[in-house]
Amino acid sequence: MGEEAEAFTKQSTPGFKYAEYMVHSRTGNLVVKVWLAVGGDSFTPTATLAAKAVAILSATRSAVPVA
């Protein structure tokens, strides 16, 4: 996703199941960070959060011209 990109995932239990997924991407002068976090009775699968984060990242990259 772009010239440079990295992604991170974390799961914790601060009294409930908490899952986070963050993707950070750079293309030219456009830097985009998408960070999703969900809490509940069970962990949201990493693949589910990753797919949503990549969709948001892709939509943002296509909507913003890169100089």
Side-chain angles (χ1 to χ4, degrees), residues 1 3 5 9 13-14 23-24 27-30 32-33 40-41 45 50 53-57 60-61 66-67:
M1 303 282 357
E3 295 168 0
T9 186
T13 313
V23 62
H24 188 238
T27 301
N29 66 348
L30 176 64
V32 179
K33 181 190 287 188
D41 294 331
V54 168
I56 294 167
L57 175 63
T60 302
R61 288 183 62 222
V66 177

Side-chain angles (χ1 to χ4, degrees), residues 11-67:
Q11 292 182 337
S12 58
T13 313
F16 54 92
K17 309 277 188 190
Y18 185 71
E20 300 176 68
Y21 189 87
M22 190 268 291
V23 62
H24 188 238
S25 170
R26 183 187 67 78
T27 301
N29 66 348
L30 176 64
V31 177
V32 179
K33 181 190 287 188
V34 179
W35 186 357
L36 302 177
V38 179
D41 294 331
S42 61
F43 290 117
T44 301
T46 299
T48 301
L49 292 176
K52 300 296 184 188
V54 168
I56 294 167
L57 175 63
S58 296
T60 302
R61 288 183 62 222
S62 67
V64 178
V66 177

